[in-house]
Amino acid sequence: MKIKKVLSLVLAVGMTASVALTGCGNQINENDVAATLDGEDIPLELVNFMAQYTAVSYDSLYLPMVGEEMWTQDLYGTGTTMADNVKDGIMSQIQTGYLLAAHMEEYGVTISDEEISAMEQAADNFLADNTEEAIKTMGAKKEHIVKMLWLNLVQRKMQQAIYDTADTEVSDEEAAQRAFSYIKIATNGYMDADNNQVTYTEEELAGLAEDAEKAAVEAKEDFDKAATDNNYTISTYSYGSDEIDEEGAATRSMNIAVIQAANELSEGDVSSLIEVEGDGYYILRLDSELDREATDNKKDQIVSQRKSDKYNEVLKSYQDACEWEINEKELKKVKFDGFYTIKQEVDTEAEQVSGTE
């Protein structure tokens, strides 16, 4: 017989969910140590609770597709099971949180009394809204719920603080994006009425070449009219100095021959016919030496990448300098015996999570 239990759960400040838990719970003792970081013990109970919390979303995503063997499957082709992948992710998350916490003072990052009170209230709500059986199954204790929320908040605050140290000044020259319009006459085949790929015959290819040459001549006089008169579509493309890498290869989707041809044009110029073997014919018009919108967007991308690189650089320096040892034997005690499914409740903002056994 299947038994369904629906329980209320608060796992983050302002985030509510309800969960039904199955299984008899993991046999983990309060003194079990999952890892040590610079001499500080990481409780296995904390690791287990965070792993069980993560399992809710994993079950919702993978259980309908993979079935009840999901936790023992190598779904990512990495040579490890889903269970081990989740545990590895939790251990990395915990290491990151603890390391960043140790450097909060350097960045002026603090956790306020109000924020701590909110976490404690969230933990109290969780414990009050769940049955003893559910709490035991998930291995939930107030101190570990609060610790998880605290580590998550530390990570977010420290990440932003490190981001703020990145260089955000980007010149137009560095981010400059040129923009061109282009007509493409494809030669690599077409889709028939039955959605099958059809290869052009030699005769058809000769006809396409003749039509492309005609359109290229007309485009020199009026690019837009040439496209309209020949029933061709005009597309646009923006690119910068990073479009071609140090090896001379294109870094994005546009063929390098097209980019090289665009580089030879001044604003308003129309190219001669460009043939890309196995792809098609191109006719270009350089619309702008400096596409303002595309350049500004590129600046945002550069700044975003700098922030990400800075954060990863700082975190790696902490990781390289720390002493981190995982107790693999103890970590094996973390198991995923039950399954969780998420369903939407009509009259609430909370996610509903239910499980059966």
Side-chain angles (χ1 to χ4, degrees):
M1 181 176 72
K2 292 191 178 284
I3 303 172
K4 179 174 288 187
K5 300 182 286 287
V6 179
L7 309 157
S8 178
L9 171 64
V10 181
L11 286 180
V13 179
M15 183 182 76
T16 306
S18 66
V19 64
L21 303 168
T22 65
C24 57
N26 298 319
Q27 303 303 310
I28 294 173
N29 299 317
E30 63 179 6
N31 294 324
D32 291 342
V33 174
T36 56
L37 178 62
D38 292 330
E40 182 177 359
D41 290 342
I42 310 297
L44 185 61
E45 286 185 336
L46 172 63
V47 173
N48 179 59
F49 175 73
M50 292 177 64
Q52 297 303 322
Y53 172 55
T54 302
V56 174
S57 58
Y58 272 67
D59 284 346
S60 174
L61 179 62
Y62 292 106
L63 185 59
M65 297 184 294
V66 182
E68 295 187 0
E69 299 300 316
M70 57 171 283
W71 289 109
T72 61
Q73 299 300 303
D74 177 15
L75 298 183
Y76 297 120
T78 60
T80 58
T81 65
M82 177 71 78
D84 286 337
N85 283 335
V86 169
K87 287 190 279 187
D88 289 345
I90 294 299
M91 296 307 293
S92 177
Q93 180 184 346
I94 288 175
Q95 184 202 42
T96 295
Y98 273 76
L99 285 173
L100 293 175
H103 295 271
M104 290 169 62
E105 187 175 350
E106 298 171 25
Y107 288 88
V109 171
T110 60
I111 306 296
S112 69
D113 291 341
E114 290 78 8
E115 288 168 326
I116 292 175
S117 294
M119 296 176 206
E120 291 177 344
Q121 185 60 57
D124 287 337
N125 291 342
F126 167 76
L127 295 171
D129 291 340
N130 284 280
T131 65
E132 290 184 9
E133 180 186 5
I135 292 170
K136 178 181 177 182
T137 303
M138 204 169 202
K141 288 184 178 180
K142 180 175 180 176
E143 61 187 284
H144 300 317
I145 301 170
V146 171
K147 189 68 172 182
M148 180 184 75
L149 298 176
W150 187 84
L151 287 171
N152 290 343
L153 184 57
V154 165
Q155 193 276 333
R156 292 196 301 272
K157 287 193 170 191
M158 282 292 289
Q159 183 179 56
Q160 186 58 56
I162 295 170
Y163 280 172
D164 291 342
T165 67
D167 179 11
T168 58
E169 293 298 321
V170 182
S171 67
D172 276 353
E173 182 179 4
E174 182 179 0
Q177 299 288 295
R178 291 161 59 90
F180 62 84
S181 297
Y182 66 95
I183 297 168
K184 177 182 178 181
I185 301 96
T187 58
N188 56 356
Y190 62 93
M191 305 301 291
D192 65 14
D194 296 324
N195 205 34
N196 297 314
Q197 180 72 23
V198 179
T199 301
Y200 286 116
T201 64
E202 290 297 325
E203 183 178 352
E204 288 172 329
L205 288 172
L208 289 175
E210 183 178 334
D211 292 342
E213 289 282 4
K214 172 176 173 292
V217 172
E218 295 173 357
K220 291 284 188 179
E221 296 296 323
D222 190 324
F223 185 87
D224 294 329
K225 187 173 185 298
T228 301
D229 289 350
N230 291 280
N231 199 30
Y232 293 142
T233 299
I234 295 177
S235 302
T236 59
Y237 192 81
S238 296
Y239 72 100
S241 58
D242 59 349
E243 189 77 17
I244 301 175
D245 64 20
E246 295 179 355
E247 303 298 325
T251 59
R252 293 168 61 200
S253 59
M254 188 59 71
N255 187 277
I256 191 170
V258 176
I259 298 300
Q260 290 172 335
N263 283 337
E264 299 299 318
L265 301 176
S266 297
E267 191 168 312
D269 287 351
V270 175
S271 72
S272 300
L273 189 65
I274 304 159
E275 181 179 4
V276 177
E277 187 175 353
D279 183 28
Y281 299 99
Y282 289 81
I283 308 167
L284 315 182
R285 179 186 63 200
L286 189 68
D287 297 324
S288 176
E289 297 276 4
L290 182 70
D291 184 328
R292 183 75 267 165
E293 182 178 356
T295 298
D296 288 343
N297 287 338
K298 184 64 176 181
K299 286 185 177 183
D300 290 340
Q301 293 174 22
I302 292 173
V303 170
S304 178
Q305 187 62 53
R306 286 180 183 175
K307 289 180 176 180
S308 179
D309 290 344
K310 186 66 175 180
Y311 173 75
N312 291 333
E313 174 190 339
V314 170
L315 180 58
K316 187 175 188 304
S317 72
Y318 297 159
Q319 291 170 335
D320 290 344
C322 78
E323 294 184 7
W324 170 249
E325 184 176 355
I326 296 175
N327 190 334
E328 298 290 354
K329 180 180 179 181
E330 291 295 286
L331 202 57
K332 289 180 180 179
K333 294 181 180 179
V334 177
K335 303 178 187 297
F336 304 100
D337 294 329
F339 293 96
Y340 310 86
T341 57
I342 297 177
K343 63 181 181 180
Q344 296 296 322
E345 286 292 328
V346 176
D347 208 15
T348 179
E349 295 181 355
E351 285 183 322
Q352 287 293 322
V353 186
S354 65
T356 61
E357 66 172 350

